[in-house]
Amino acid sequence: MTAPHTRFDLGEDRSASAPPEARGLARDEVRLLAAGPDGVRHATFRDLGEFLEPGDLLVVNTSGTLPAAVDAVRGEQVIAVHFSTELDDGTWVVELRAPGGPLLDGRAGERLGLPAGAVVTLREPHVAGAQRLWRAKIDVEGGVARYLAKVGRPIRYGYVPRAWPLPNYQTVFALDPGSAEMPSAARPFTAELVTRLVSRGVLFAPILLHTGVSSPEAGEPPYGERFRVPATTAALVNWVRDQGGRVIAVGTTAVRALESAANPGGLVTAAAGWTELVLGPDRPARAVDGLITGLHTPEASHLLLLEAVVGPGLVQRAYDAAVRREYLWHEFGDVSLLTSR
């Protein structure tokens, strides 16, 4: 897999360890780094309207976050099972984790006991030649989503030391539960901010993409995710582009969904199913002029997507500024607006 051009050193203390509300801030009071052809500016997210024009279109992901982490018994050890993605045949992609990271010693046929009598049976690696993600059969009454609602908790990683309730992992746009991890670029939006933007002539349109568990291994590419681009969203994207407005995706998930529905000329049509699209030097963005996104770790595959939308030079300038100004990383951290024009 191609490595991103963007390079930076990230200190260990740059991770947001709790929701901004726990730090005395409102959701829309996280910092906003706005970078475009005219330079880099710093603001607060509730000032987003200062960087948008009437007729700009924000494309938002309506996927809701599942409480996708469940404890499992493995021999005499208690581990976590992260439920990533439901497949078409009813099996699930799962990840086994210990406090130190993913467990890579799963084996086909292994059975793990879950609370309330449920059982996970590993079938085969989800990606040939890899051991992190497994396709698994879930034996549970009432369906997996209902089961997770009863016994699951939000997935969190070591930089978030304490558990937070599920509402902290939902965005204002969340309508369709299905994401293993929060589509976090939209977290700073509030109903009040959306109202102000609409009153200024900024447009909104929905897409759906259910995120799987994130890829912790450097250089590991994204894998297939379920998505939907409605016909009305496709038509609005095309109209905005024809009128000279900008199409700005809220999150890398929205970029991936829209670009999966775009032809080589940038025309977007209704589409649904699975996407394995990876944007990068060989596949630049066709329909998207910019994006709102959190800050990604060094060498993450998401940096390739950012570079495919706005160019490596702009991404590098933005990240240099974010490091210099000590922005906070990860799902509870600060946010950037990157635009190509």
Side-chain angles (χ1 to χ4, degrees):
M1 179 177 170
T2 304
H5 291 278
T6 305
R7 292 286 185 269
F8 59 96
D9 294 321
L10 186 62
E12 293 183 1
D13 60 345
R14 298 272 44 89
S15 297
S17 59
E21 299 92 313
R23 309 194 301 268
L25 302 174
R27 281 193 176 218
D28 61 0
E29 287 183 316
V30 297
R31 286 184 289 178
L32 173 68
L33 184 153
D38 294 334
V40 177
R41 290 183 286 173
H42 304 276
T44 300
F45 193 81
R46 64 175 46 170
D47 301 321
L48 175 64
E50 297 180 8
F51 305 98
L52 301 175
E53 300 292 336
D56 284 345
L57 173 64
L58 298 182
V59 180
V60 300
N61 187 359
T62 60
S63 180
T65 309
L66 295 171
V70 179
D71 287 334
V73 177
R74 193 188 202 202
E76 297 182 355
Q77 182 184 15
V78 176
I79 66 170
V81 176
H82 288 179
F83 286 72
S84 178
T85 306
E86 183 177 13
L87 302 176
D88 292 335
D89 62 0
T91 61
W92 278 74
V93 178
V94 301
E95 180 189 38
L96 309 184
R97 291 190 72 93
L103 296 170
L104 306 179
D105 59 349
R107 61 188 185 278
E110 181 177 2
R111 291 166 56 87
L112 302 171
L114 302 179
V119 176
V120 172
T121 304
L122 304 185
R123 286 189 168 180
E124 61 184 359
H126 182 52
V127 178
Q131 291 290 111
R132 185 174 70 90
L133 301 176
W134 284 82
R135 298 187 184 190
K137 181 178 182 294
I138 315 299
D139 294 312
V140 62
E141 293 185 4
V144 173
R146 182 177 298 180
Y147 175 76
L148 292 176
K150 292 180 180 179
V151 306
R153 60 184 181 274
I155 290 174
R156 65 185 173 95
Y157 298 108
Y159 53 82
V160 179
R162 58 152 287 189
W164 295 94
L166 185 61
N168 289 278
Y169 292 86
Q170 303 291 13
T171 74
V172 71
F173 305 111
L175 294 174
D176 306 290
S179 281
E181 299 181 12
M182 174 175 53
S184 57
R187 192 185 192 279
F189 281 92
T190 63
E192 293 79 10
L193 177 57
V194 172
T195 299
R196 290 200 302 272
L197 293 174
V198 169
S199 70
R200 294 182 58 160
V202 176
L203 306 172
F204 285 80
I207 58 87
L208 178 70
L209 187 141
H210 291 318
T211 68
V213 294
S214 56
S215 299
E217 309 299 331
E220 183 175 330
Y223 52 90
E225 293 173 315
R226 193 187 301 273
F227 82 104
R228 181 174 71 244
V229 176
T232 50
T233 293
L236 188 54
V237 167
N238 296 331
W239 181 82
V240 166
R241 290 174 60 84
D242 287 344
Q243 298 300 310
R246 297 180 298 179
V247 176
I248 298 173
V250 179
T252 58
T253 59
V255 175
R256 196 181 196 198
L258 271 186
E259 292 294 334
S260 297
N263 71 11
L267 183 71
V268 176
T269 55
W274 292 88
T275 178
E276 297 185 356
L277 177 66
V278 177
L279 296 183
D282 298 327
R283 173 50 167 95
R286 299 166 175 171
V288 175
D289 301 298
L291 75 162
I292 294 168
T293 181
L295 295 163
H296 305 285
T297 53
E299 299 187 10
S301 62
H302 288 99
L303 292 172
L304 279 172
L305 182 148
L306 270 56
E307 293 174 357
V309 175
V310 300
L314 180 59
V315 178
Q316 185 69 65
R317 290 192 295 276
Y319 273 76
D320 287 345
V323 171
R324 188 167 56 250
R325 292 291 190 102
E326 297 187 337
Y327 276 61
L328 294 178
W329 260 247
H330 298 301
E331 67 268 24
F332 293 139
D334 299 315
V335 181
S336 63
L337 167 66
L338 308 177
T339 54
S340 61
R341 61 185 178 92

